[in-house]
Amino acid sequence: LAAFVREDLAVRDVKLVTELAPGDPIAQIDAGQIRQCLINLVRNAADAVVANKGGQVVLRTKTTGKRIEISVIDDGVGIPSEVLPRLFDPFFSTKEAGSGLGLALTQQIVRDHGGDLAVQSVVGSGTTFTLSVPVSG
């Protein structure tokens, strides 16, 4: 995934940083669907960074207990607190040309995998989306 998005982000003057946990935990997932979720989150993060006049997106993985977490962290414009509760609502978008389906579908795919999608954001500092799925076995 990092190799796939790195060039696209570089063209937009966004640096991609990877912080991958050691080892290869296993999860029962549809890799293509989870990849699409992560691409959506990375592209949203890049949009936020570009709106903030440049910066970086970090892909971070870790295993906590019986869960695998993948975080997409940006130092972009952040999301206002009053918007956070509606982020995953279908057809809600803060983007002028947005359909409002990206995050709603991403959340549904993650939930279909027994996972969770969480968001933390501070206006002016950036946003972190954390996708979490159960470890196999």
Side-chain angles (χ1 to χ4, degrees):
L1 172 75
F4 179 75
V5 298
R6 189 177 307 275
E7 204 170 304
D8 181 47
L9 270 58
V11 167
R12 300 178 69 193
D13 206 24
V14 176
K15 181 180 177 185
L16 180 67
V17 177
T18 54
E19 298 175 359
L20 307 179
D24 291 321
I26 306 292
Q28 294 290 347
I29 60 168
D30 180 317
Q33 286 187 340
I34 296 298
R35 176 184 168 97
Q36 192 58 50
C37 291
L38 291 169
I39 288 170
N40 183 46
L41 294 175
V42 168
R43 287 185 175 154
N44 285 349
D47 289 347
V49 169
V50 168
N52 208 30
K53 309 285 191 264
Q56 69 179 17
V57 173
V58 178
L59 283 174
R60 179 179 297 152
T61 64
K62 70 178 181 177
T63 303
T64 56
K66 296 187 181 271
R67 305 210 44 98
I68 299 166
E69 293 182 358
I70 305 170
S71 295
V72 178
I73 305 155
D74 70 65
D75 59 1
V77 294
I79 302 167
S81 59
E82 64 272 10
V83 171
L84 287 173
R86 300 200 54 210
L87 267 187
F88 301 110
D89 290 353
F91 307 109
F92 175 79
S93 180
T94 59
K95 297 179 183 177
E96 197 168 304
S99 68
L101 292 175
L103 287 176
L105 289 172
T106 295
Q107 183 182 53
Q108 187 58 51
I109 290 168
V110 172
R111 285 183 174 165
D112 289 348
H113 285 81
D116 298 304
L117 183 60
V119 60
Q120 295 179 316
S121 189
V122 176
V123 173
S125 296
T127 302
T128 300
F129 281 89
T130 302
L131 182 157
S132 167
V133 294
V135 173
S136 295

